[in-house]
Structure formats: C-alpha cells, structure tokens
Amino acid sequence: MKTVGVVGGMGPAATVEFLARLVRATPAARDEDHLHVVVNSDPRIPSRTAALLGGGPSPAPRLRAMARGLEQAGAEFLVMPCNTAHAFLDEMRDAVRIPILDIRREAAALVEAGPVGLLATEAVVRVGLYRDAFHARGFDTLCPSAQDQDELTALIAAVKAGAPFGRLRRRLTGVVERVGAAGAQTLVVGCTEVSLLYQATPQRPSVDALDALVAATVREARDETR
C-alpha cells in the first residue's frame, strides 16, 4: 500500500478528525492492515482566509515546504484536510513530484442533485473554490445568505477555539435549514471545522468533503479504482 502524507494543522482538530475517520474507513483486522501515514500538523500556517480576502500573508510558501518535507519523508501521495487551503493547490503541486488529491473534486463527484448548498468559509465562497467542480457536474452553487455566512464564520472560529459542540450544532442546524429552504437539493460540507459539527439526516441529501477525502485516501493508498 502507498504511504499517505497529510498536510495538516488547519486546524488541528480537523486533522485529528480526518485521521480518526481514516482509521475507521480502512478495511483492517489488525494493526498491519492499516495505512502508513506521515503527518505534518502545523498550526503556524498563515490564515488561508486572510490571504484570500486580501489582508494576510500567503500560506503558499509554508504549504509548499510541508509538501516537499512529506515527500522526502516517504509519502507517495498527499492529502490536505482543509478546504480553503486548496486555493493554493496548484502551487503545492508544482513543488513536488507526487500526486496531491483534490478535496473539491472528490466531494463534487458524490453530488447527485443540484442546486448545491455550500457550507464553507467566506473565502471559499467568495473566490468560488467549489463552483467549477460543481459546474463540471452540471450543478449550480447556492451559497448561504450574508447573515448565515457570518454565522458559519463564527461557528468555525468557535470550533478552532475549542468551544463545546452541543450549542454550536444547534446553531448550525438553523443555517442548514435556511439553505435548504432556499432551494438546495444537496448540501456539501466544504469546511473541515463544519464537518466536526454537521450531523447528516436521511431527510436532507448531503456530502461531507472530509468523508469524501477519507474515501479517496483509502482508494489511492490501496490502489483501488473509483
């Protein structure tokens, strides 16, 4: 099986959640059946949102360095459990010789009906980071209202700060209901902090990008076809 390199730390809790889901998703009867994973969880990476919205330093140099370091450590492909950081994916790919999976492509491939309601950071929404991936599948993107986007920003910050999830989940439910009422046929959870809060229900079709990346990681590591 191929060795996985994880570009993590954005944020730390999301990286840990990715690894936990990866363990659960890997067919294994013993330790030796699990994947070899090399992780660099670096919370010092400059804010992706601040960089994309025009006020902060680019995280690209540190992301490129992390990618190169993981390649040198033996990783045969890379994954990055942060949606917003995928704005810098092309620059990272230019820095290494190994593949880097694209969380947007993996999530969009699982969408079966649109419009797609996108739950993501303000930066992801404003730069249209998922728009092309959904459009390639023939689906329009439906974003939350400005007020609900502000609420998502607050929820993401609260998760990063270690706030208890109970009340945050109730607040997220309100956003989800309003996005659904606006016409979304499928919800895509396009932020890994939101993935920590989101609770899927049979009544509302949804795709969690973190789960999509986990499935793709297992597929790539085990050389399985889609």
Side-chain angles (χ1 to χ4, degrees):
M1 292 188 288
K2 296 178 185 175
T3 298
V4 185
V6 180
V7 180
M10 304 170 283
T15 300
V16 171
E17 180 67 15
F18 169 79
L19 293 171
R21 294 188 189 188
L22 186 62
V23 169
R24 293 195 294 269
T26 302
R30 54 182 183 160
D31 289 349
E32 294 90 334
D33 297 330
H34 283 279
L35 306 181
H36 181 198
V37 183
V38 182
V39 183
N40 186 345
S41 183
D42 186 356
R44 300 169 299 170
I45 300 167
S47 168
R48 287 67 59 199
T49 292
L52 291 170
L53 297 185
S58 173
R62 191 178 290 273
L63 290 170
R64 289 197 301 268
M66 291 174 71
R68 287 193 295 266
L70 288 165
E71 182 179 36
Q72 291 166 4
E76 295 172 84
F77 71 98
L78 302 179
V79 298
M80 185 162 54
C82 172
N83 289 266
T84 312
H86 279 70
F88 308 94
L89 182 61
D90 288 342
E91 295 173 74
M92 295 173 66
R93 283 176 166 167
D94 288 341
V96 294
R97 293 167 296 179
I98 58 177
I100 308 178
L101 299 187
D102 187 336
I103 197 172
R104 300 163 298 178
R105 177 180 178 275
E106 301 300 338
L110 300 178
V111 175
E112 296 182 352
V116 184
L118 179 61
L119 306 178
T121 65
E122 182 182 0
V124 165
V125 170
R126 285 179 57 177
V127 304
L129 202 56
Y130 265 92
R131 189 180 303 126
D132 289 346
F134 295 151
H135 183 72
R137 297 269 294 146
F139 304 128
D140 292 330
T141 305
L142 195 159
C143 299
S145 67
Q147 182 177 353
D148 279 335
Q149 189 61 57
D150 287 345
E151 177 73 328
L152 282 174
T153 298
L155 291 171
I156 292 165
V159 170
K160 289 181 180 290
F165 287 176
R167 182 174 295 179
L168 301 182
R169 285 193 172 113
R170 290 192 290 273
R171 289 167 57 186
L172 178 62
T173 297
V175 175
V176 168
E177 290 176 349
R178 289 186 289 274
V179 172
Q185 295 301 303
T186 305
L187 288 175
V188 167
V189 182
C191 172
T192 44
E193 273 73 36
V194 178
S195 294
L196 291 167
L197 302 178
Y198 185 74
Q199 295 175 308
T201 64
Q203 294 76 26
R204 192 178 303 284
S206 62
V207 173
D208 187 331
L210 190 61
D211 286 334
L213 185 62
V214 165
T217 302
V218 174
R219 183 191 73 226
E220 182 73 13
R222 292 168 58 88
D223 268 333
E224 299 171 344
T225 58
R226 182 186 296 276

